[in-house]
C-alpha cells in the first residue's frame, strides 16, 4: 500500500483531503529508484484548478514517456494545510510518490497568471527549498518557470534557476538529456545550467546583467556568460498533429473546475484584439488535423470515462473543420450520451446551428464578449465585433429558443470615456429589446441578461503593454456609474450586473 506523507489525523482535519493523496485514475506509477531523473511539475494554485490545466497534463505525458524520468505533481496546499505543514515542519511532497520535493532533480512551475506569484513563494517555502536561486546548492532541485508569464520574467527572475520561454513540446527532452549526461559526467549545477542556457528558448537569469530605467522598465540586458545567447528565442511547436497529446489524462476523485475531456483543436488565434496576450504570444495559429482529433477523442473518452468533451481553443469558430468535427462527435458519441461543449464560439448562424444540436437550449446560456460598450472603443481594441453582429446574433439565438445571454466587458481600456461605459448599459438593454421584438406567444418566458465587467490589465507583448492601468478608486467609481446607468434602462429588471471587487 502507498504510504502517505500526511497522517490520517492531519488529513481528517483539513478540507478536501483528496487534494493531497494522489492515486487518481491514470496516475503514473514508477519506482523512483529505477529512474535517473525525478521531476515535479507544479501548478501553483489549488488542486481543483491545477488539475484542470491542459498544459500540465501535456508535460506530464511527455516526461513520463521517458523510462529514465519520473514526473510527478504538486499543487498549492490550501490555507488549512499550509498552517499545519508550517507548524509541524512537514516538507511539501509530490502526489505520486508522496516524497519531499526538495529531494527531486527538478521543480517545474507553470506561471499562468501573475496572481499566483505569491503561491510560488509558498510552494518554495513549504518545500524547504531556498526561495532565491542564488542561495540554492548542489542538493536543491533546479527550479524552472514556464507558461505565459515567463514572457516577462524579470519581476520574478530571482526565484528561478531558468525559464523555459515558449511551448513545452519542443525542448524538454533535450533539457533532460543534457541534465542526465551532465550528472553522469559529474558536472556542477552551474555547469549544467550553462549547457541548458545553450538550448534555444532557455533563459538563465543568473547569466545576464539587467539594467533598469528610473521608472523600473528594463534599460538593457547583457549576457555575462559565454554560454548564454544575447537573445532568447521563444519556442513554438509548429506541427500540432504530430506531437504529444495526453490521451490518458488524469481523472481526479473530487470535482475539478474542468471535469471533462479537453480536446485542444488548435493553438493561437487569427484575431488581434489589442489587449489580449494569448492572441499575441501563441501566434501563429496552428490547427490540429481532423484525423488526429478524432483519434484523440476516441482514446481520451475510453481512458477516462468522462461524459463530456470540450473543444478547446482561443476561438473555436475559426477552426476550419469545425463542422466536420462536430458532426463526427455527434454521430460517434451522441448516442452514448457524451455532451459536447465549446468554450469560445463566436455567435453566428453556423455556431447557433451547431450549439442547438449539441446543447439543451433551455439550460444553456449564450456568451458574447463585446469587451467594450461602444463601437468606437471596440474599434480601438480591434475587437472586430460590431453592434450589428451582436444584435443579429442575439436575435437569431432568441428565435431559436434561447432566452439567456451572458455579456463580458472590460473596464479601464485605453481611451475609455463615460460614454463607453454607458454604452455597456445601452447594449445590454438593446439585446433585451431584441428579445421582446419576438411575438409573445413565440417567446420562452422572460429574457435574462447577465452583464459582467472585469478590469483591463496591460499585458506584455500586446500593443497596450504600456497603457496605464486604472486605480481601484477609479474602477469603483466606474462600476457605480455603470450600475446606475443600468438602473435607468427600460429592461433594467432583465439585466443582472456582476462586477469584480476592485
Ligand atoms: S480576445 Fe479572443 S478573439 Fe481576441 S485575440 Fe484574444 S483569443 Fe483571439
Amino acid at each position: 500500500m502507498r504510504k502517505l506523507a500526511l497522517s490520517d489525523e492531519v488529513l481528517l482535519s483539513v478540507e478536501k483531503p483528496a487534494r493531497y493523496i494522489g492515486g487518481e485514475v491514470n496516475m503514473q506509477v514508477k519506482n523512483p529508484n529505477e529512474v535517473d531523473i525525478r521531476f515535479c511539475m507544479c501548478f501553483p494554485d489549488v488542486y481543483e484548478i491545477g488539475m484542470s490545466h491542459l498544459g500540465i497534463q501535456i508535460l506530464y505525458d511527455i516526461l513520463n514517456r521517458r523510462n529514465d524520468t519520473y514526473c510527478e505533481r504538486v499543487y498549492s496546499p490550501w490555507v488549512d494545510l499550509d498552517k499545519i505543514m508550517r507548524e509541524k515542519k512537514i516538507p511539501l511532497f509530490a502526489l505520486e510518490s508522496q516524497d519531499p520535493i526538495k529531494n527531486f532533480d527538478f521543480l517545474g512551475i507553470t506561471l499562468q497568471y501573475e496572481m499566483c506569484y505569491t503561491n510560488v513563494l509558498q510552494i518554495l517555502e513549504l518545500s524547504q527549498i531556498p526561495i532565491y536561486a542564488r542561495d540554492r546548492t548542489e542538493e536543491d532541485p533546479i527550479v524552472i518557470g514556464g507558461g505565459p508569464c515567463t514572457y516577462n520574467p524579470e519581476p520574478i527572475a530571482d526565484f528561478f534557476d531558468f525559464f523555459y520561454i515558449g511551448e513545452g513540446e519542443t525542448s524538454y527532452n533535450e533539457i533532460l538529456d543534457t541534465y542526465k549526461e551532465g550528472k553522469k559526467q559529474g558536472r556542477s549545477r552551474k555547469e549544467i545550467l550553462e549547457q541548458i542556457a545553450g538550448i534555444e528558448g532557455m533563459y538563465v537569469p543568473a547569466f545576464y546583467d539587467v539594467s533598469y530605467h528610473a521608472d523600473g522598465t528594463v534599460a538593457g540586458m547583457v549576457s555575462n556568460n559565454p554560454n548564454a545567447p544575447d537573445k532568447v528565442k521563444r519556442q513554438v511547436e509548429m506541427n500540432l498533429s504530430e506531437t504529444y497529446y495526453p490521451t490518458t489524462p488524469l481523472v481526479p476523485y473530487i470535482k475539478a473546475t474542468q471535469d471533462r475531456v479537453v480536446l485542444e483543436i488548435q493553438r493561437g488565434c487569427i484575431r488581434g484584439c489589442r489587449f489580449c496576450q494569448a492572441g499575441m504570444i501563441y501566434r501563429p495559429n496552428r490547427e490540429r488535423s481532423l484525423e488526429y482529433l478524432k483519434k484523440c477523442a476516441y482514446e481520451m473518452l475510453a481512458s477516462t470515462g468522462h461524459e463530456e468533451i470540450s473543444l478547446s481553443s482561443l476561438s473555436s469558430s475559426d477552426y476550419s473543420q469545425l463542422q466536420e468535427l462536430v458532426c463526427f462527435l455527434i454521430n460517434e458519441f451522441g448516442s452514448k450520451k457524451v455532451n459536447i461543449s465549446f468554450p469560445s464560439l463566436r455567435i453566428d448562424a453556423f455556431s447557433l446551428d451547431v450549439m442547438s444540436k449539441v446543447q439543451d437550449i433551455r439550460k444553456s446560456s449564450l456568451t458574447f464578449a463585446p469587451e467594450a460598450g461602444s463601437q468606437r472603443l471596440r474599434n480601438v481594441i480591434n475587437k472586430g465585433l460590431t453592434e450589428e453582429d451582436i444584435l443579429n446574433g442575439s436575435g437569431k439565438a432568441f428565435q431559436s429558443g434561447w432566452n439567456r445571454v451572458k455579456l463580458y466587458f472590460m473596464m479601464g481600456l485605453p481611451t475609455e470615456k463615460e460614454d463607453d461605459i454607458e454604452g455597456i448599459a445601452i447594449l445590454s438593454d438593446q439585446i433585451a429589446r431584441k428579445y421582446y421584438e419576438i411575438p409573445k406567444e413565440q417567446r420562452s418566458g422572460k429574457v435574462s441578461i447577465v452583464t459582467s465587467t472585469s478590469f483591463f490589465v496591460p499585458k506584455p507583448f500586446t500593443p497596450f503593454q504600456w497603457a496605464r492601468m486604472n486605480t481601484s478608486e477609479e474602477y469603483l467609481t466606474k462600476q457605480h456609474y455603470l450600475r446606475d446607468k443600468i438602473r435607468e434602462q427600460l429592461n433594467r429588471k432583465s439585466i443582472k450586473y456582476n462586477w469584480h471587487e476592485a
Side-chain angles (χ1 to χ4, degrees), residues 269 271-273 275-276 279 314-315 346 371 383:
C269 178
R271 319 224 163 233
C273 305
F275 58 84
C276 175
L314 290 171
S315 179
R346 291 169 81 83
E371 309 290 2
K383 187 63 209 175

Side-chain angles (χ1 to χ4, degrees), residues 268-280 283 313-315 318 344 346 369 371 381-383 410:
C269 178
I270 59 167
R271 319 224 163 233
C273 305
R274 295 194 170 105
F275 58 84
C276 175
Q277 191 190 37
M280 300 291 163
R283 287 179 176 187
S313 83
L314 290 171
S315 179
D318 296 322
S344 57
R346 291 169 81 83
E371 309 290 2
I381 64 174
N382 200 28
K383 187 63 209 175
M410 228 181 264

Side-chain angles (χ1 to χ4, degrees), residues 433-485:
R433 287 175 191 234
K434 203 81 194 164
Y435 181 77
Y436 291 112
E437 282 174 12
I438 299 175
K440 196 170 180 185
E441 57 285 1
Q442 291 168 28
R443 288 184 223 145
S444 28
K446 288 185 176 162
V447 71
S448 151
I449 314 274
V450 178
T451 298
S452 303
T453 58
S454 60
F455 312 134
F456 163 70
V457 179
K459 293 281 189 175
F461 292 97
T462 66
F464 289 163
Q465 65 176 341
W466 300 117
R468 176 180 167 270
M469 191 174 153
N470 282 191
T471 62
S472 50
E473 289 74 29
E474 285 171 312
Y475 278 128
L476 281 174
T477 309
K478 289 180 179 187
Q479 284 171 340
H480 291 152
Y481 179 76
L482 176 57
R483 183 196 58 196
D484 294 343
K485 286 293 162 193

Side-chain angles (χ1 to χ4, degrees), residues 259-262 301 305-310 337-342:
D259 56 350
R260 52 190 72 89
V261 161
V262 179
L301 285 167
H306 276 310
E307 291 169 343
E308 184 168 340
I309 186 161
S310 170
K337 301 274 177 278
V338 172
N339 287 326
I340 305 164
S341 62
F342 310 86

Side-chain angles (χ1 to χ4, degrees), residues 165-356:
I165 316 263
E167 297 173 3
E169 286 95 344
T170 62
S171 305
Y172 262 112
N173 280 324
E174 194 179 347
I175 292 169
L176 297 185
D177 289 343
T178 303
Y179 177 80
K180 189 173 153 184
E181 182 59 23
K183 279 279 160 193
K184 209 163 110 192
Q185 302 294 335
R187 294 196 181 107
S188 68
R189 180 185 186 93
K190 183 171 178 241
E191 286 166 338
I192 291 175
L193 284 171
E194 282 177 337
Q195 289 195 303
I196 289 175
I199 301 173
E200 206 171 64
M202 304 309 129
Y203 170 48
V204 183
F207 298 157
Y208 294 85
D209 294 322
V210 181
S211 53
Y212 294 90
H213 293 296
D215 65 357
T217 52
V218 173
M221 181 177 137
V222 200
S223 159
N224 62 24
N225 187 302
N227 298 286
D230 290 338
K231 279 205 174 146
V232 179
K233 195 166 169 232
R234 166 183 77 121
Q235 293 301 289
V236 181
E237 173 57 66
M238 286 310 291
N239 190 344
L240 288 179
S241 301
E242 282 177 25
T243 184
Y244 307 93
Y245 202 75
T247 49
T248 54
L250 289 145
V251 184
Y253 289 125
I254 54 173
K255 188 164 169 43
T257 318
Q258 185 87 264
D259 56 350
R260 52 190 72 89
V261 161
V262 179
L263 199 55
E264 186 194 35
I265 58 176
Q266 61 185 353
R267 202 174 288 172
C269 178
I270 59 167
R271 319 224 163 233
C273 305
R274 295 194 170 105
F275 58 84
C276 175
Q277 191 190 37
M280 300 291 163
I281 65 175
Y282 290 113
R283 287 179 176 187
N285 189 52
R286 291 146 288 153
E287 296 192 347
R288 293 191 199 266
S289 76
L290 189 58
E291 289 313 310
Y292 183 82
L293 292 174
K294 286 180 182 175
K295 184 173 146 293
C296 290
Y298 269 123
E299 291 178 18
M300 293 173 86
L301 285 167
S303 70
T304 59
H306 276 310
E307 291 169 343
E308 184 168 340
I309 186 161
S310 170
L311 303 186
S312 151
S313 83
L314 290 171
S315 179
S316 299
S317 306
D318 296 322
Y319 178 64
S320 63
Q321 290 176 290
L322 186 62
Q323 193 152 13
E324 292 86 340
L325 179 61
V326 172
C327 288
F328 165 80
L329 293 173
I330 293 172
N331 291 340
E332 285 299 309
F333 306 113
S335 60
K336 299 182 183 111
K337 301 274 177 278
V338 172
N339 287 326
I340 305 164
S341 62
F342 310 86
S344 57
L345 277 187
R346 291 169 81 83
I347 307 299
D348 53 26
F350 165 67
S351 306
L352 288 170
D353 184 43
V354 168
M355 282 193 286
S356 62

